[in-house]
Amino acid sequence: MRPPSSVARRYANALFHIAQRENTVDAVSADLTVMSGILDQSPQVLAALAVPRVPVERKKAALQAIVGSQMVQPVTRRFLDMVLDHSREASLPETAQAFAQLADEARGAVNAEVRSASPMDEGQTARLKARLDALTGRETRLTLTTDPSLVGGVIVRIGDTVMDGSVKGYLEQIGARLMKATMPVVGS
């Protein structure tokens, strides 16, 4: 997952500050999660919203019909209208991602992407979460994926920090050390 664009971060910051002032951060976060899920499952919806020839009022009506009664926060509705008014529909998924990051930071939570060679059971997941909670000093939310190319172990990414505990990573480190140790010294 790539980081949100500067436009998405600005929109998310503005929405976050308004939601904080109105004490609706969790509700707006839930609204945006629902909207992101809809857009992820139906990318054609986002593409249709981004068509410049479609009048803004039709886009607003279509988005209202799509999200329906699930989005009840007035601040979320005003935000979506503003995004459509400024033709920034394409930034909606990234804005939702940036808002979620801000909300997590405010709650003291952190997201960790975990890739493992094989699926982790509940006990392994709980132990890893406990270690990451202790390491970060925050509530850690895990996103688990399986990557058989790792051979064994896990790779954890928290923000820009990557912890490689995979067999593949270990073998690559050994290979790099061996290559460095066997390289002839030039000029001797």
Side-chain angles (χ1 to χ4, degrees):
M1 183 182 317
R2 67 174 206 218
S5 68
S6 60
V7 168
R9 285 192 308 271
R10 281 195 307 271
Y11 275 66
N13 275 321
L15 178 58
F16 183 76
H17 291 299
I18 293 168
Q20 268 188 320
R21 191 175 59 228
E22 294 183 6
N23 199 26
T24 58
V25 170
D26 290 339
V28 170
S29 187
D31 290 347
L32 293 177
T33 298
V34 168
M35 185 207 57
S36 287
I38 291 168
L39 296 177
D40 284 346
Q41 290 175 1
S42 303
Q44 65 273 20
V45 171
L46 186 59
L49 289 173
V51 174
R53 290 176 274 138
V54 176
V56 172
E57 293 309 315
R58 271 188 72 196
K59 291 179 183 184
K60 288 178 183 178
L63 191 58
Q64 174 65 32
I66 291 166
V67 296
S69 63
Q70 294 181 37
M71 284 194 201
V72 293
Q73 295 303 309
V75 66
T76 306
R77 290 188 195 282
R78 290 190 312 267
F79 172 75
L80 292 173
D81 286 347
M82 189 256 329
V83 167
L84 293 171
D85 287 338
H86 290 92
S87 301
R88 296 292 190 176
E89 302 87 353
S91 70
L92 279 171
E94 289 180 86
T95 302
Q97 176 190 350
F99 187 93
Q101 289 171 346
L102 291 169
D104 285 345
E105 287 172 16
R107 290 184 204 109
V110 65
N111 291 314
E113 297 172 20
V114 179
R115 288 185 353 206
S116 60
S118 58
M120 295 174 62
D121 64 34
E122 288 181 29
Q124 293 169 318
T125 302
R127 285 190 301 277
L128 177 61
K129 182 182 176 336
R131 286 184 184 155
L132 292 174
D133 287 353
L135 179 69
T136 62
R138 299 162 120 189
E139 166 77 19
T140 308
R141 290 199 193 109
L142 305 180
T143 303
L144 304 171
T145 58
T146 303
D147 182 355
S149 74
L150 298 179
V151 183
V154 297
I155 295 177
V156 177
R157 175 186 216 90
I158 300 174
D160 294 335
T161 304
V162 177
M163 295 167 264
D164 190 344
S166 68
V167 171
K168 180 181 178 182
Y170 181 70
L171 293 173
E172 287 172 356
Q173 289 174 7
I174 290 173
R177 281 190 228 140
L178 287 173
M179 290 299 292
K180 187 176 179 181
T182 59
M183 295 292 287
V185 177
V186 177
S188 298

